[in-house]
Amino acid sequence: MGEAHAYATAIMNRGRTPMEPVDFVPNWADGPRKSKLYRGTDTTPLPDGDYPAHASLQRALDPADTPPDAADPFDLDALGGMLRDSYGVTGRRLGVQANTDLPALPHYRMATWSRGSAAGGGLYPVSVYWVSGASGPLTPGVHHYATSRHSLQRLLTGDVSGRVREALGERAPGPETDQYLVLGVKYWQNAFKYNSFTFHVVSMDVGALLATWRLWARARGMEIEPALWFDEHRLTDLLGVGAEEEGVFAVVPLRWRRDAHRPSAPTATGGTVAVTASDSERSRTVHRFEDVTTMQRVTAGRAADRPAPQDLTAALPLPPDAAGPRVALPEPAPLTADVRSALRSRRSSFGRFDAQQPMTAAELAATLRAAHLGAELGGDTATEPGGPGLTGLYVFVNHVTGIAPGAYRYDPYDPEGPALRGVVDRAGGPFLQRNYFLANYNLEQAGAVLVPVARTHAVLDAVGDRGYRLTNALIGATAQATYTAGSALGLGCGVALGFDNISYAEELGLDARGESALLIMMVGRERPRPADFRYDLA
Ligand SMILES: Cc1cc2nc3c(=O)[nH]c(=O)nc-3n(C[C@H](O)[C@H](O)[C@H](O)COP(=O)(O)O)c2cc1C
């Protein structure tokens, strides 16, 4: 069995057979910084940009059929706005919730800052670089997005956009451009806490960030088409990062507004110039974990391996079992909130669910629709147009008006309209709580628990080991879409990896279908007026 297959199996079984190093205990006092620190670099503050009120989540999920080359271009305002609303710090979390680190809440040094994107463990390990060529508004170069200061730090001066274009190779998605966002993951920023589990988590975090960008942009007629396949070593070389310390997970080519004063010049290709500035590591001891290093090595990208949409067909989930009783869903509740506002009020529910007032079926229909439509990222992750994507969706209904408690498969393609197909005909509360590892949620109190699945092993067979990053990116994307929909609907939401995957496979009969339950996504009402203190920064 290949190493990515073996890692996928070990991750699914980890609730029963712990992964090495079993005795690992995080050294909290010697943890890394919450984001990279490049000392002595030139810094450019970023604008927050405006965001149109009509750019609703509804539009983001179902954008007008604009040809990609007619999408509105980015400028510095839009780039600043998108970064602020995704990974930029927007405030301080001071609400009382059920996490075990609650006592840290009043201490400034241990403060938790809010961001539009969710991230496993709140660790936000993605480093965002902007490689900007001559058509951009700043001196061309490689810039790092400093999340806490909402500013750009210039790491390299000179137009190296041609190097990114070379790394992307032929058939790369997105527009012809000299402006690229490059997403790296510094493993230690997550591994100091999650060790071998890190690769699984961060590959979802990347998807959550890309989904935030895609929702944010598409709602207002812009486009985000990420590439997950490129010659990764060329980009780690350019960024001056060690390939074992940092993986490059995605490149997003940006259509850029042409400025009459700055004509785009052909850029140099080839060359060996690289970033020499380096991140100042806070931890005195940095550990490497064999599973993470192995997964980085075997999933490292090559442009020549980029799959075509039809290559993914063999890995699509099977259609729902038509033998299950059909439950019709009503018209979904509208998601009229603009994406920026929905992201600003997005947060994890962390124990605040309260089922005294059930969810409505229209709210459930809207959440399922958002989770389904949001489980895609375009670019070179796309399956055949008009057909299904790589993930499927189950839902445990706990407290939804008019729908009997039980587990269902969501069928968005039912010819009579989106519907549920019964899978388990009993209330799921005890099962859900018994199989949740942490103590920060009462899952039974959530209105519903959505469970995205994918045929991870079939994806790996179809496109090779980098398919692991693809599958998990799509799961991260559906998580972010669900969170954003919850926020737009005024519902609580929380997603979690801390559950026993094998029990879910048994309960839902997933093994026979080759599916794995990859995340749980809770939605529902919260206790009215939970204690909070407002501390907005943006
Ligand atoms: C891939 C992923 C996995 C997560 N796993 C868990 C989990 O197991 N348990 C949990 O309580 N929250 C989990 N979360 C939620 C994060 O802890 C949360 O997004 C982060 O702490 C930031 O808090 P916020 O969502 O309130 O902004 C996960 C989020 C993501 C994106």
Side-chain angles (χ1 to χ4, degrees), residues 362-430:
E363 288 169 339
L364 178 66
T367 311
L368 288 165
R369 185 170 181 277
H372 161 67
L373 293 176
E376 63 88 47
L377 288 167
D380 62 14
T381 75
T383 50
E384 301 236 49
L390 279 178
T391 62
L393 202 54
Y394 291 80
V395 58
F396 288 86
V397 170
N398 291 339
H399 307 280
V400 179
T401 307
I403 303 182
Y408 301 84
R409 169 84 185 210
Y410 177 56
D411 186 357
Y413 303 108
D414 186 307
E416 290 172 47
L420 300 175
R421 288 278 172 187
V423 178
V424 180
D425 181 17
R426 72 172 166 274

Side-chain angles (χ1 to χ4, degrees), residues 66-110:
T66 324
D69 49 359
D72 282 347
F74 274 83
D75 56 16
L76 197 61
D77 265 6
L79 178 64
M82 187 175 81
L83 293 175
R84 167 70 90 184
D85 293 343
S86 53
Y87 249 43
V89 166
T90 55
R92 184 171 169 191
R93 296 266 188 246
L94 286 164
V96 175
Q97 28 77 6
N99 281 340
T100 46
D101 62 356
L102 192 65
L105 206 69
H107 301 283
Y108 191 81
R109 286 191 56 218
M110 291 181 271

Side-chain angles (χ1 to χ4, degrees), residues 70-366:
D72 282 347
F74 274 83
D75 56 16
L76 197 61
D77 265 6
L79 178 64
M82 187 175 81
L83 293 175
R84 167 70 90 184
D85 293 343
S86 53
Y87 249 43
V89 166
T90 55
R92 184 171 169 191
R93 296 266 188 246
L94 286 164
V96 175
Q97 28 77 6
N99 281 340
T100 46
D101 62 356
L102 192 65
L105 206 69
H107 301 283
Y108 191 81
R109 286 191 56 218
M110 291 181 271
T112 303
W113 305 101
S114 54
R115 327 224 197 170
S117 294
L123 296 174
Y124 295 94
V126 182
S127 300
V128 178
Y129 306 94
W130 177 29
V131 178
S132 94
S135 73
L138 305 186
T139 305
V142 177
H143 313 267
H144 170 253
Y145 176 51
T147 54
S148 56
R149 287 188 276 164
H150 189 50
S151 57
L152 295 168
Q153 297 172 298
R154 196 160 72 238
L155 306 182
L156 181 151
T157 306
D159 186 352
V160 289
S161 58
R163 300 266 299 279
V164 181
R165 198 171 311 117
E166 278 177 342
L168 285 169
E170 288 168 17
R171 292 190 299 111
E176 284 287 318
T177 184
D178 62 354
Q179 308 295 322
Y180 298 96
L181 292 171
V182 178
L183 280 70
V185 172
K186 176 184 162 186
Y187 289 117
W188 178 241
Q189 210 172 309
N190 181 285
F192 85 98
K193 179 175 178 187
Y194 289 121
N195 58 82
S196 302
F197 192 47
T198 284
F199 195 86
H200 191 61
V201 186
V202 300
S203 44
M204 291 190 187
D205 290 338
V206 170
L209 175 55
L210 287 171
T212 313
W213 289 354
R214 199 161 152 87
L215 294 173
W216 190 98
R218 298 189 106 199
R220 56 183 300 183
M222 302 171 111
E223 194 49 281
I224 291 286
E225 296 271 5
L228 265 56
W229 271 266
F230 40 82
D231 291 334
E232 189 171 334
H233 69 276
R234 292 179 189 244
L235 296 183
T236 44
D237 287 352
L238 174 63
L239 296 172
V241 294
E244 289 198 346
E245 283 87 48
E246 183 162 338
V248 180
F249 278 65
V251 174
V252 180
L254 296 178
R255 175 180 308 286
W256 201 266
R257 187 177 300 285
R258 295 282 157 191
D259 183 330
H261 304 292
R262 284 179 177 270
S264 173
T267 62
T269 52
T272 53
V273 61
V275 170
T276 51
S278 60
D279 164 41
S280 158
E281 178 56 64
R282 180 183 174 278
S283 300
R284 264 175 269 176
T285 309
V286 174
H287 296 282
R288 285 204 189 141
F289 299 96
E290 198 183 328
D291 279 336
V292 178
T293 312
T294 302
M295 283 302 282
Q296 168 55 33
R297 179 173 50 77
V298 301
T299 65
R302 280 179 300 268
D305 297 342
R306 175 173 295 122
Q310 61 273 20
D311 297 336
L312 293 163
T313 305
L316 295 177
L318 306 182
D321 183 353
R326 180 179 187 278
V327 177
L329 286 167
E331 191 61 30
L335 299 172
T336 48
D338 71 89
V339 172
R340 168 172 277 179
S341 303
L343 291 170
R344 288 295 162 84
S345 55
R346 187 208 63 79
R347 62 157 171 71
S348 294
S349 193
F350 293 139
R352 284 171 276 203
F353 287 120
D354 179 350
Q356 281 189 56
Q357 209 197 333
M359 274 172 77
T360 66
E363 288 169 339
L364 178 66

